Amino acid sequence: MNKYMEELTELLQTGLEKYATSEKYRDLLHVMSLFHNYSANNCLLIALQCPHASYVAGYTSWRNNFHRQVRKGEKAIRIISPVKYKKKNEEDEEEERIGFKSASVFDISSTYQIPDMEPVTIGVEDLQGHVENYKDFLHAFQSISPVPVDFRLFDGDARGYYSDAEKIIVIQDGMTERQSVKTLVHEIAHAMLHTKEKLQEHKKDRKQKELEAESVAYIVCEHYGFDSEDYSFPYIIGWGGTGFQDILKESMTVIQKTADQIITGVNKYFEK
């Protein structure tokens, strides 16, 4: 392991301790909402080194793909990048393997538009204009749900639930649009992560399941401009309690991958 990789590994370990508090966890989930296709570890590294980051790319990529120049003297953000290499096996045949190396990226705030070059739109298409189009978003989320979704009135205080036995998501009818969308994403996360089959492979208590589902819901809602902070963080803190750091360490990658899967699916729905 080279010097940079050792430094990044150490940074990740200390970073988990730093972000295992409610306030810092909010910052981490915000970064995950911006960089949903980055690994959980790289999101944590970006948050640790550049908390205000909004869009990152490599030095050459900024110039060639976005017509922007990194300013002289700007400090790079170090992330972990996969690299393919070939190695001979016992039969003296070459096999392709994947390793990891340190890579440098820069936030857009470290760059400027190159004069006389055409500006390039940066990032995914901004879907915040669709926030008012509530039904379109409901259809998009339902299209990527692994089970059918039913909106109906039911007894009890719950805003929604996922039934693994019946393979259905039920959302309390008559709630506000913002609460309905947030609840739907929360229950979709349960349906993706907490089936009987998956929990047989890896046991999780209710605290961990709720923390995962609400974290996924926050990332997705933050990405599309639905403000769920007032609801999500009291909910997460209530379930986090003791052992928050251990749960975060175990669940961070699962949360990131599930949020990315939902966001990617919804984006594809709107592209159609």
Side-chain angles (χ1 to χ4, degrees):
M1 187 182 294
N2 63 36
K3 184 185 77 170
Y4 283 125
M5 282 298 292
E6 287 178 0
E7 290 175 356
L8 290 179
T9 301
E10 187 177 336
L11 189 60
L12 282 171
Q13 291 171 347
T14 57
L16 273 172
E17 296 174 10
K18 180 179 179 181
Y19 276 84
T21 65
S22 59
E23 200 66 35
K24 283 295 178 184
Y25 190 53
R26 179 190 283 107
D27 296 340
L28 177 58
L29 293 187
H30 174 69
V31 171
M32 285 185 172
S33 78
L34 295 172
F35 307 109
H36 66 92
N37 56 337
Y38 274 61
S39 73
N41 281 343
N42 278 336
C43 285
L44 179 53
L45 287 171
I46 292 168
L48 286 165
Q49 297 170 81
C50 187
H52 65 270
S54 60
Y55 196 87
V56 299
Y59 185 96
T60 305
S61 180
W62 274 123
R63 185 172 185 86
N64 295 346
N65 299 330
F66 302 106
H67 301 166
R68 299 185 70 87
Q69 179 65 47
V70 175
R71 293 189 188 89
K72 193 172 182 180
E74 290 287 346
K75 188 176 180 181
I77 302 168
R78 291 278 178 180
I79 62 171
I80 298 170
S81 175
V83 58
K84 292 181 180 179
Y85 67 96
K86 291 183 178 180
K87 188 173 182 179
K88 289 186 177 181
N89 57 25
E90 294 177 358
E91 286 76 35
D92 206 33
E93 297 173 339
E94 280 197 343
E95 290 182 344
E96 191 173 79
R97 300 186 182 184
I98 295 179
F100 296 92
K101 66 175 183 178
S102 168
S104 296
V105 293
F106 296 86
D107 182 56
I108 188 172
S109 61
S110 297
T111 71
Y112 62 88
Q113 172 68 40
I114 298 174
D116 302 325
M117 293 188 79
E118 190 72 23
V120 176
T121 301
I122 293 170
V124 296
E125 184 179 351
D126 188 359
L127 291 175
Q128 290 191 23
H130 293 281
V131 168
E132 294 179 3
N133 202 337
Y134 172 62
K135 289 186 178 180
D136 276 356
F137 265 102
L138 286 188
H139 292 154
F141 287 125
Q142 289 181 66
S143 75
I144 55 92
S145 173
V147 297
V149 177
D150 185 18
F151 283 79
R152 66 171 184 250
L153 293 172
F154 58 88
D155 294 332
D157 296 328
R159 290 168 171 82
Y161 63 86
Y162 161 63
S163 171
D164 193 52
E166 299 176 31
K167 298 297 182 188
I168 192 172
I169 288 171
V170 179
I171 304 297
Q172 186 74 269
D173 202 12
M175 297 190 298
T176 65
E177 293 181 358
R178 190 174 71 169
Q179 185 64 53
S180 296
V181 170
K182 201 286 308 173
T183 301
L184 177 56
V185 180
H186 178 105
E187 299 307 334
I188 288 173
H190 276 310
M192 288 179 166
L193 295 173
H194 306 138
T195 63
K196 183 179 178 180
E197 293 75 19
K198 289 192 175 181
L199 292 175
Q200 282 177 339
E201 299 171 9
H202 187 77
K203 301 289 183 185
K204 295 178 182 179
D205 61 17
R206 192 179 179 196
K207 178 193 293 186
Q208 186 169 4
K209 289 187 286 186
E210 293 302 323
L211 188 95
E212 289 178 348
E214 192 64 18
S215 295
V216 169
Y218 179 86
I219 292 171
V220 174
C221 289
E222 176 87 356
H223 182 81
Y224 289 116
F226 302 114
D227 180 13
S228 71
E229 182 173 309
D230 291 343
Y231 183 92
S232 289
F233 277 93
Y235 190 96
I236 288 170
I237 293 165
W239 282 106
T242 58
F244 188 88
Q245 183 179 332
D246 293 334
I247 297 173
L248 175 57
K249 186 175 183 179
E250 186 175 339
S251 297
M252 193 169 67
T253 296
V254 170
I255 291 166
Q256 178 272 326
K257 286 184 176 179
T258 307
D260 176 51
Q261 185 178 346
I262 293 172
I263 291 168
T264 300
V266 170
N267 285 350
K268 287 180 179 177
Y269 175 90
F270 280 113
E271 285 169 8
K272 292 177 183 177

